[in-house]
Amino acid sequence: MKQNSFSRKRIIHICIITFILIMLIVVASTLMLRYNIEGEENLPFNLNEISVVSTAESNIKQGEENKWNADILQKNDIFFVIGKNDNYNKEVVIKKVRFENFQITKPNENMKINIYRPSTSVNAYNYVDEYKVENSLEYLGAQNTNTETLQINNQGGIIGFSIVSDNSWKYVFSKDEKLPSDGRLLAKAGVEEEDISFQISFDLIIETESEHKFKSNITLDLPTGNILEKGVGTFEDKQLQNVVFKRF
């Protein structure tokens, strides 16, 4: 009888321990799943807004027989507003903000897409090789934001880059013809929406001086708006429901 009683107690203990282990696994799995979906809950710095301005610009050259040629670029200026989290109680400063892992989905192989860093402190761009981004773009924390020198205020600021699509679009016109200086010029050149549409994804990484790193992957469909008819398209996202930061 004593042996049977001991066996029953042992079975009960094993069942209790097994139940506890299962519950721990379930809780840990739930927390991991929640973290993968919701990410970090209390970041030292938040991405407060993403905004995009899409349009076109041209480089006009004199051609033959009183004709002029407009070489057209479709451009998308992207801005990121990064700010200190007021609910984060610790003193912290930005060490650097980095954009990397650019992945571009193009509709056709002829489309050339390049990324450029700002060439002046007011987020203006000069689309030459000197300012082309090859693999990553990094802004260092500083006393003030200066996009020309790739610096961001260590408590937050507005930074960004420009994405340019070039499919060797040209428009030939006479010197008396009035041309739009925006996306409508693409329509004049016979460009369709599917000719300029593409998707880009990239990682945004915020690193603090305390060596904490937070990364989010961002996907954008470009250009934004109907630039072929309206010339300029704008997009602002302050909700950022699809932007999730995780430690790494």
Side-chain angles (χ1 to χ4, degrees):
M1 295 293 293
K2 291 182 178 180
Q3 182 68 29
N4 291 337
S5 176
F6 176 78
S7 297
R8 285 197 298 270
K9 288 182 179 180
R10 185 178 181 183
I11 292 172
I12 292 172
H13 288 161
I14 292 174
C15 289
I16 292 173
I17 293 173
T18 302
F19 176 76
I20 292 173
L21 289 174
I22 292 174
M23 290 303 298
L24 289 174
I25 293 172
V26 170
V27 171
S29 299
T30 302
L31 292 175
M32 291 177 62
L33 178 61
R34 180 179 177 184
Y35 186 78
N36 285 331
I37 295 174
E38 299 180 4
E40 200 75 21
E41 292 184 351
N42 192 31
L43 291 161
F45 295 93
N46 291 325
L47 176 61
N48 295 328
E49 180 181 342
I50 299 175
S51 61
V52 181
V53 179
S54 297
T55 186
E57 69 174 43
S58 62
N59 180 22
I60 297 177
K61 302 175 182 178
Q62 187 172 5
E64 299 178 354
E65 298 180 358
N66 204 28
K67 295 290 184 180
W68 294 76
N69 299 320
D71 296 329
I72 311 169
L73 297 175
Q74 193 282 305
K75 65 175 189 172
N76 309 274
D77 296 344
I78 306 175
F79 304 91
F80 303 84
V81 181
I82 297 173
K84 181 74 168 58
N85 181 1
D86 294 333
N87 297 321
Y88 194 83
N89 298 323
K90 299 178 182 179
E91 292 292 330
V92 63
V93 297
I94 294 174
K95 181 179 181 179
K96 62 181 69 171
V97 177
R98 187 166 71 253
F99 302 93
E100 64 181 24
N101 191 29
F102 294 98
Q103 303 291 329
I104 301 171
T105 304
K106 300 180 290 186
N108 59 73
E109 293 300 322
N110 294 324
M111 179 182 288
K112 297 179 181 178
I113 297 176
N114 291 307
I115 303 168
Y116 294 87
R117 49 158 287 191
S119 57
T120 74
S121 58
V122 291
N123 285 317
Y125 294 93
N126 187 6
Y127 299 116
V128 296
D129 288 345
E130 178 183 355
Y131 301 106
K132 188 182 295 184
V133 176
E134 296 297 340
N135 298 309
S136 65
L137 174 62
E138 185 174 275
Y139 285 84
L140 296 179
Q143 291 297 315
N144 297 291
T145 298
N146 186 325
T147 56
E148 182 178 10
T149 56
L150 296 180
Q151 293 178 321
I152 180 173
N153 185 295
N154 59 30
Q155 293 299 294
I158 303 175
I159 57 176
F161 51 83
S162 185
I163 304 177
V164 172
S165 173
D166 181 7
N167 202 13
S168 300
W169 296 302
K170 297 181 182 294
Y171 181 68
V172 180
F173 62 101
S174 65
K175 68 175 184 179
D176 297 326
E177 182 179 356
K178 294 183 179 180
L179 290 183
S181 57
D182 51 35
R184 292 172 294 177
L185 185 56
L186 288 166
K188 279 185 167 291
V191 176
E192 303 287 343
E193 183 177 352
E194 57 267 25
D195 298 326
I196 57 175
S197 299
F198 65 97
Q199 185 180 81
I200 183 169
S201 67
F202 52 89
D203 292 335
L204 167 57
I205 299 170
I206 301 175
E207 182 177 346
T208 67
E209 286 288 355
S210 54
E211 303 300 332
H212 291 150
K213 298 179 183 180
F214 305 90
K215 178 167 67 174
S216 179
N217 184 261
I218 297 170
T219 299
L220 297 172
D221 293 309
L222 299 173
T224 188
N226 187 357
I227 65 171
L228 297 179
E229 292 185 6
K230 296 184 178 180
V232 179
T234 59
F235 167 78
E236 293 183 357
D237 186 359
K238 297 181 180 181
Q239 301 300 319
L240 302 171
Q241 296 179 350
N242 296 321
V243 177
V244 175
F245 281 92
K246 301 174 186 175
R247 291 176 183 261
F248 74 105

